[in-house]
């Protein structure tokens, strides 16, 4: 026997029980996004590699070590499986002239790929719900995006997700801070680890993001960006905080929140839970006013965030959320050639009336089909044998304990009877 093939490490199948849960989650997500005026956009999963290098930054973990990049063997193009959605979304906005019709509120849901070490909550293929607003300059949209998060957690019945915010200021403010930071790290050169030394002159800000406990105290005392922010940046940050306070959304200002992608300026934020172990950030984002221009568009302010779907689903389950398995209304049992022909007609007719039907396929005795009907969770079995086929009738049998007794009906009367009983049982519940 040949060896069975497995999925790629860190890339998971989502089986029907789980996938149904995902669909329910996505339904909630879509209506939540609609309530805030967001419209869908779908970008390719593969983009030219230079897009990510330019957008995310050459000296970032994602670009340095996590991208699935390859050469198209047919034309030599350098391509990458998208590690995130913002770069592709902004590329699409520029390419199709959407920025000219800004402001725009856009969202996408889909796979992202990062070659990280897989662990709970961290996968090589994962899914994001990404939300981007293009063309808004003020702190109001940053704040609204954060309020959106708060509302979603409430809609999903999640609590205890902490909001951390920070301001990264503007590039020139960051440049001053960067110079001060390099000087400070140089003074503390003997404490730096290899990673920090490597980043000292390329991306010193990222040193603050280190997980190395030996660097924590030194990083805590490092020059803080907030002390280098000018009046306008501080006012923007204050503007965001004011809306959050007015809305009663608690937050923590975390001066060490720097994010792992280089395109951000001003507001950045993360929603973090302690219920998922090490991978506790369920949603993260911020403002990226320079990115549209950097990717070849006209200067256009923008802001966005993305949520990790796997992490949120894990959190919903952890918080006791139960997936509800949508059972069919009717399981259609049939035996005999004429009965099968009628069964197809009946099934389609019932579906025309909005009734969900699982039509038995694969033959078998009435008994074994009835077992499957019971196991399906359907509310009713509709049973058609050749006798019924001749008279154009079917047996309607309730599969619920408290349901009405089995009866024979003309097939044309089935839909009305089923709908009537479905409504009655809904009212009783
Ligand atoms: P990010 O922080 O890299 O931001 O990712 C956003 C979220 O995706 C994370 O908070 C996490 O929930 C989830 N995530 C990231 N990597 C993994 C992984 N390996 N496995 C499972 N979940 C993961 C961005 O991607 C930005 N594009 C967000 C953004 C949109 N900023 C502005 N607009």
């Amino acid at each position: 026997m040949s060896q069975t093939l497995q999925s790629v490490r860190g890339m998971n199948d989502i089986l029907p029980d789980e996938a149904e849960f995902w669909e329910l989650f996505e339904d909630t997500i879509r209506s939540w996004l609609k309530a805030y005026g967001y419209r869908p956009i779908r970008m390719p999963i593969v983009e030219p590699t230079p897009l990510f290098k330019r957008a995310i930054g050459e000296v970032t973990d994602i670009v340095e070590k996590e991208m699935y990049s390859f050469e198209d063997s047919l034309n030599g193009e350098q391509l990458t499986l998208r590690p995130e959605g913002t770069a592709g979304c902004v590329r699409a906005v520029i390419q199709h002239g959407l920025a000219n019709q800004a402001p725009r509120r856009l969202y996408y849901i889909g796979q992202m790929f990062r070659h990280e070490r897989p662990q709970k909550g961290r996968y090589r293929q994962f899914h994001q719900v990404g939300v981007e607003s293009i063309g808004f300059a003020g702190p109001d949209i940053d704040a609204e995006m954060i309020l959106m998060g708060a509302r979603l957690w409430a809609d999903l019945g999640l609590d205890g997700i902490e909001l951390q915010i920070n301001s990264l200021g503007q590039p020139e403010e960051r440049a001053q801070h960067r110079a001060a930071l390099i000087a400070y790290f140089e003074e503390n050169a003997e404490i730096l680890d290899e990673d920090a030394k490597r980043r000292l002159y390329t991306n010193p800000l990222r040193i603050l993001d280190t997980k190395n406990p030996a660097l924590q105290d030194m990083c805590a005392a490092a020059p803080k960006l907030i002390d280098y922010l000018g009046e306008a940046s501080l006012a923007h940050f204050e503007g965001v905080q004011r809306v959050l306070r007015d809305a009663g959304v608690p937050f923590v200002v975390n001066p060490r929140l720097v994010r792992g992608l280089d395109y951000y300026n001003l507001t950045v934020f993360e929603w973090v839970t302690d219920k998922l172990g090490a991978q506790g950030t369920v949603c993260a984002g911020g403002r990226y006013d320079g990115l549209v221009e950097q990717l070849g568009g006209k200067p256009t302010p923008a802001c966005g965030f993305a949520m990790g779907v796997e992490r949120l689903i894990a959190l919903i389950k952890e918080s006791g959320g139960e997936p509800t398995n949508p059972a069919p209304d009717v399981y259609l049992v049939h035996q005999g050639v004429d009965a099968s022909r009628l069964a197809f007609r009946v099934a389609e007719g019932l579906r025309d009336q909005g009734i969900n039907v699982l039509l038995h396929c694969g033959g078998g005795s009435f008994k074994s089909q009835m077992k499957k009907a019971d196991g399906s969770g359907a509310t009713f079995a509709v049973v058609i044998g050749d006798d019924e086929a001749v008279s154009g009738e079917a047996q309607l049998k309730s599969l619920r304990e408290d349901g009405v007794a089995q009866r024979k009906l003309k097939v044309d009367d089935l839909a009305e009877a089923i709908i009537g009983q479905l409504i009655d049982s809904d009212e009783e519940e």
Side-chain angles (χ1 to χ4, degrees):
M1 221 169 64
S2 55
Q3 204 186 354
T4 51
L5 295 170
Q6 304 283 315
S7 65
V8 175
R9 186 162 126 82
M11 304 202 186
N12 301 316
D13 297 309
I14 300 162
L15 302 180
D17 279 349
E18 184 78 8
E20 270 161 2
F21 195 89
W22 280 55
E23 289 193 351
L24 289 175
F25 172 78
E26 285 166 11
D27 288 348
T28 309
I29 291 290
R30 290 200 170 90
S31 53
W32 162 74
L33 286 162
K34 225 174 178 176
Y36 285 89
Y38 282 82
R39 298 182 62 201
I41 180 166
R42 299 184 187 209
M43 301 85 65
I45 283 173
V46 178
E47 296 274 1
T49 304
L51 171 69
F52 299 115
K53 290 192 174 170
R54 263 161 79 180
I56 299 170
E58 299 264 4
V59 192
T60 55
D61 280 351
I62 297 179
V63 170
E64 279 185 329
K65 29 184 186 188
E66 294 170 2
M67 294 209 302
Y68 284 91
S69 297
F70 55 98
E71 187 181 293
D72 183 331
S73 61
L74 298 178
N75 61 9
E77 239 183 303
Q78 296 301 318
L79 302 175
T80 294
L81 297 185
R82 61 183 186 192
E84 59 104 51
T86 309
C89 183
V90 169
R91 189 230 3 100
V93 161
I94 298 167
Q95 183 174 335
H96 302 285
L98 301 188
N100 304 332
Q101 306 151 33
R104 290 259 169 190
R105 287 174 156 96
L106 302 169
Y107 78 88
Y108 47 85
I109 304 179
Q111 283 97 328
M112 306 293 158
F113 300 85
R114 295 184 194 177
H115 198 281
E116 296 190 81
R117 197 169 50 77
Q119 62 180 86
K120 183 174 170 238
R122 190 164 74 188
Y123 308 101
R124 290 181 173 170
Q125 176 188 263
F126 60 99
H127 296 71
Q128 283 186 345
V129 175
V131 180
E132 316 288 357
S133 68
I134 315 287
F136 298 89
D140 46 0
I141 194 84
D142 313 20
E144 189 191 62
M145 287 192 149
I146 294 172
L147 296 189
M148 285 175 78
R151 175 174 299 277
L152 183 64
W153 316 145
D155 286 355
L156 293 171
L158 301 175
D159 49 27
I161 307 182
E162 184 186 83
L163 170 62
Q164 302 186 359
I165 61 171
N166 190 22
S167 174
L168 299 183
Q170 298 295 9
E172 49 298 354
E173 294 157 353
R174 276 213 298 284
Q176 285 173 20
H177 171 244
R178 188 176 186 275
L181 209 54
I182 291 176
Y184 173 80
F185 286 138
E186 281 172 342
E187 282 163 28
N188 290 281
E190 73 286 359
I191 309 177
L192 299 183
D193 61 14
E194 281 313 307
D195 223 27
K197 280 187 189 141
R198 201 171 50 78
R199 288 192 157 132
L200 179 54
Y201 300 106
T202 50
N203 200 346
L205 209 63
R206 292 279 291 144
I207 299 177
L208 298 176
D209 221 16
T210 179
K211 302 274 182 298
N212 184 349
L215 303 191
Q216 298 298 325
D217 288 350
M218 190 263 297
C219 286
K224 298 207 171 23
L225 178 59
I226 192 104
D227 297 325
Y228 292 79
L229 299 190
E231 225 170 273
S233 295
L234 287 172
H236 189 103
F237 196 32
E238 181 46 39
V240 175
Q241 295 180 54
R242 193 179 316 120
V243 179
L244 297 182
R245 275 189 224 106
D246 285 351
V249 173
F251 60 88
V252 175
V253 176
N254 176 2
R256 294 179 55 188
L257 183 66
V258 293
R259 309 277 300 123
L261 306 96
D262 284 354
Y263 47 62
Y264 293 109
N265 68 315
L266 295 173
T267 320
V268 288
F269 59 93
E270 293 195 355
W271 291 94
V272 187
T273 173
D274 58 10
K275 292 185 186 146
L276 294 179
Q279 306 303 320
T281 306
V282 289
C283 175
R287 181 162 279 285
Y288 51 92
D289 292 330
L291 188 60
V292 178
E293 190 180 9
Q294 201 181 315
L295 295 181
K298 282 197 233 125
T300 310
C303 183
F305 64 90
M307 306 184 284
V309 177
E310 283 80 358
R311 292 185 192 176
L312 272 174
I313 298 237
L315 190 58
I316 296 168
K317 289 189 176 162
E318 163 78 32
S319 313
E322 268 301 309
T324 47
N325 182 4
D329 300 318
V330 168
Y331 193 98
L332 215 163
V333 170
H334 54 97
Q335 201 186 38
V337 176
D338 292 336
S340 290
R341 293 177 66 184
L342 181 59
F344 269 92
R345 192 156 68 73
V346 167
E348 290 299 327
L350 293 178
R351 292 181 188 121
D352 284 344
Q353 303 297 318
I355 297 166
N356 296 328
V357 182
L358 207 64
L359 174 71
H360 180 84
C361 287
S365 66
F366 273 124
K367 198 172 159 207
S368 74
Q369 292 191 36
M370 281 309 295
K371 247 188 174 162
K372 293 221 165 75
D374 278 327
S376 74
T379 315
F380 299 100
V382 167
V383 184
I384 305 177
D386 277 341
D387 285 353
E388 283 89 359
V390 171
S391 57
E393 290 174 314
Q395 303 277 353
L396 178 64
K397 182 176 188 303
S398 173
L399 298 174
R400 297 255 171 95
E401 271 170 24
D402 53 352
V404 290
Q406 178 166 338
R407 57 199 170 119
K408 209 176 219 186
L409 291 169
K410 283 280 176 206
V411 292
D412 291 340
D413 298 334
L414 271 173
E416 199 179 324
I418 290 169
I419 291 168
Q421 288 188 41
L422 284 173
I423 292 171
D424 284 352
S425 62
D426 267 1
E427 279 169 359
E428 276 161 28
E429 271 167 17

